[in-house]
């Protein structure tokens, strides 16, 4: 969930053309006993993200289950956070001033932003901007498919759950301070980057998504915890967990979890699955504003 939502505004891309025939990428990983139909998710969205690719939805009627990062209906009560981990204890003065300015602009409670860990503050800020852009979790791919599966009595499986996601976030270096710092310092780019992320996902532009993923300014430790270790754990579950040994399963996780040598398609291939992309993506012309702008 969290990497896809927290794009951290480290790369801005301006799109010059799109193709109406393009669509989000869908992968098929299979062996003689089972197959996984995999699609990267955008966790906040609007109606423009739909309909979903036929390459994905045609498997829905005969699927044996929907696999998500977490079951959003499972109750989870966040444990108390030590005061030493609060944003107000960790944030530098310049960043603190920026945070207060954004709180005023978006009509957020400065108190609530400061009285939690930095990773949570970053999420609250970026969610506020997503809502301002007309993007909501209710129209994100995960929630839409979750409720569709629930309505149709399709079994829902989770790869880690909300409690585990909380544990991962709470274990980040300095409690996710680098997530918050990049959010604050690149805030002026976030809106256009989020629009870039949505467009790249809709057009199946793997090259742009990969560039966005690679250029996010996170520490190596944070990258390992938020992305690589989780992907490795998920691939192991899909390959070896008893509930996934036979049948057809739809797998929907954050879009960045599908990319590169540590993405789910590549990791499942290493596990012995035959993996192929089953729809055609249309390239999109774009220009990197960060790499082309004059250094300060």
């Amino acid at each position: 969930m969290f990497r896809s939502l927290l794009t951290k505004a480290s790369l801005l891309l301006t799109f010059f053309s799109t193709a109406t025939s393009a669509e989000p990428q869908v992968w098929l990983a299979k062996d003689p006993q089972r197959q996984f139909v995999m699609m990267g998710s955008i966790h906040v969205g609007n109606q423009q993200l739909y309909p979903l690719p036929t390459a994905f939805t045609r498997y829905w009627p005969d699927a044996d289950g929907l696999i998500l990062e977490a079951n959003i209906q499972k109750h989870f009560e966040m444990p108390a956070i030590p005061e030493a981990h609060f944003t107000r204890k960790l944030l530098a003065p310049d960043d603190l001033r920026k945070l207060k300015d954004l709180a005023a602009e978006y009509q957020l409670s400065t108190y609530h932003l400061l009285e939690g860990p930095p990773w949570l503050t970053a999420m609250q800020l970026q969610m506020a901007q997503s809502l301002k852009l007309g993007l909501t979790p209710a129209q994100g791919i995960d929630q839409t498919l979750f409720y569709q599966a629930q309505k149709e009595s399709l079994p829902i499986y989770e790869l880690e759950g909300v409690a585990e996601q909380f544990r991962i976030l709470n274990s980040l270096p300095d409690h996710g301070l680098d997530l918050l710092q990049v959010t604050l310092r690149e805030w002026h780019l976030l809106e256009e980057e989020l629009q870039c992320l949505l467009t790249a996902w809709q057009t199946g532009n793997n090259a742009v998504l990969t560039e966005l993923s690679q250029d996010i300014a996170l520490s190596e430790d944070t990258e390992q915890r938020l992305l690589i270790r989780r992907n490795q754990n998920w691939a192991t579950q899909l390959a070896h967990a008893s509930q996934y040994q036979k049948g057809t399963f739809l797998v929907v996780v954050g879009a960045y979890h599908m990319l590169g040598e540590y993405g789910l398609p590549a990791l499942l291939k290493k596990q012995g699955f035959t993996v192929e992309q089953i729809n055609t993506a249309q390239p999109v012309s774009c220009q990197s504003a960060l790499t082309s702008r004059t250094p300060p």
Side-chain angles (χ1 to χ4, degrees), residues 250-268:
L250 306 172
V251 181
V252 179
V253 297
Y256 286 151
H257 292 284
M258 296 293 178
L259 305 177
E261 62 177 320
Y262 295 108
L264 272 184
L267 293 175
L268 286 176

Side-chain angles (χ1 to χ4, degrees), residues 1-294:
M1 165 181 182
F2 300 104
R3 184 176 176 99
S4 293
L5 178 59
L6 298 176
T7 53
K8 274 78 68 180
S10 60
L11 183 68
L12 170 62
L13 296 167
T14 303
F15 286 84
F16 298 109
S17 64
T18 60
T20 57
S21 61
E23 61 182 12
Q25 291 183 328
V26 180
W27 291 265
L28 179 65
K30 61 182 180 179
D31 67 11
Q33 299 298 321
R34 63 253 169 96
Q35 56 184 1
F36 298 106
V37 184
M38 302 182 292
M39 181 175 66
S41 170
I42 301 295
H43 299 298
V44 292
N46 54 31
Q47 283 302 314
Q48 294 179 9
L49 299 185
Y50 303 92
L52 295 176
T54 303
F56 179 83
T57 58
R58 66 188 174 93
Y59 288 92
W60 186 276
D62 299 317
D64 296 290
L66 173 66
I67 304 174
L68 302 172
E69 295 178 29
N71 183 332
I72 59 176
Q73 286 196 340
K74 281 190 176 180
H75 176 73
F76 172 71
E77 188 171 337
M78 185 180 294
I81 304 294
E83 184 177 353
H85 302 175
F86 286 179
T87 293
R88 62 177 168 83
K89 293 282 189 177
L90 299 169
L91 205 57
D94 287 347
D95 290 330
L96 182 59
R97 284 190 289 272
K98 176 66 173 178
L99 184 149
K100 291 180 178 178
D101 289 343
L102 289 175
E105 180 181 350
Y106 286 83
Q107 298 182 328
L108 301 173
S109 166
T110 302
Y111 174 82
H112 286 113
L113 291 173
L114 295 176
E115 298 296 304
W119 62 262
L120 182 58
T121 305
M123 290 184 66
Q124 291 171 321
L125 288 170
Q126 294 200 20
M127 180 58 71
Q129 190 169 63
S130 296
L131 293 172
K132 183 179 179 181
L133 293 172
L135 304 169
T136 68
Q139 292 184 303
I141 305 302
D142 312 71
Q143 287 201 30
T144 297
L145 291 179
F146 177 91
Y147 288 117
Q148 182 178 343
Q150 191 177 59
K151 181 179 179 180
E152 299 177 14
S153 300
L154 179 66
I156 300 171
Y157 301 95
E158 59 179 3
L159 290 168
E160 57 190 15
V162 177
E164 175 63 12
Q165 290 185 338
F166 172 82
R167 187 199 66 78
I168 292 169
L169 287 163
N170 215 35
S171 72
L172 293 176
D174 294 320
H175 317 290
L177 183 60
D178 60 339
L179 292 179
L180 180 55
Q181 287 172 332
V182 175
T183 297
L184 292 170
R185 295 171 187 179
E186 300 289 355
W187 184 262
H188 63 291
L189 301 177
L190 179 57
E191 179 175 333
E192 293 181 66
E193 189 197 49
L194 183 54
Q195 292 171 339
C196 162
L197 174 64
L198 291 170
T199 303
W201 180 84
Q202 286 178 288
T203 57
N205 191 334
N206 189 59
V208 172
L209 288 172
T210 299
E211 188 175 5
L212 280 165
S213 175
Q214 292 174 343
D215 285 13
I216 290 173
L218 297 177
S219 69
E220 182 177 348
D221 194 357
T222 297
E223 183 87 0
Q224 283 282 336
R225 292 170 189 263
L226 281 185
L227 186 68
I228 296 174
R229 294 179 192 173
R230 294 171 73 201
N231 287 359
Q232 291 169 336
N233 179 39
W234 297 349
T236 298
Q237 287 187 55
L238 294 176
H240 300 292
S242 59
Q243 64 266 37
Y244 308 136
Q245 290 306 301
K246 185 176 181 180
T248 296
F249 300 92
L250 306 172
V251 181
V252 179
V253 297
Y256 286 151
H257 292 284
M258 296 293 178
L259 305 177
E261 62 177 320
Y262 295 108
L264 272 184
L267 293 175
L268 286 176
K269 189 173 183 178
K270 291 179 181 179
Q271 293 273 6
F273 289 85
T274 299
V275 180
E276 61 176 329
Q277 184 182 330
I278 57 176
N279 61 345
T280 302
Q282 178 70 40
V284 178
S285 300
C286 60
Q287 176 181 345
S288 170
L290 284 192
T291 55
S292 64
R293 70 182 181 182
T294 303

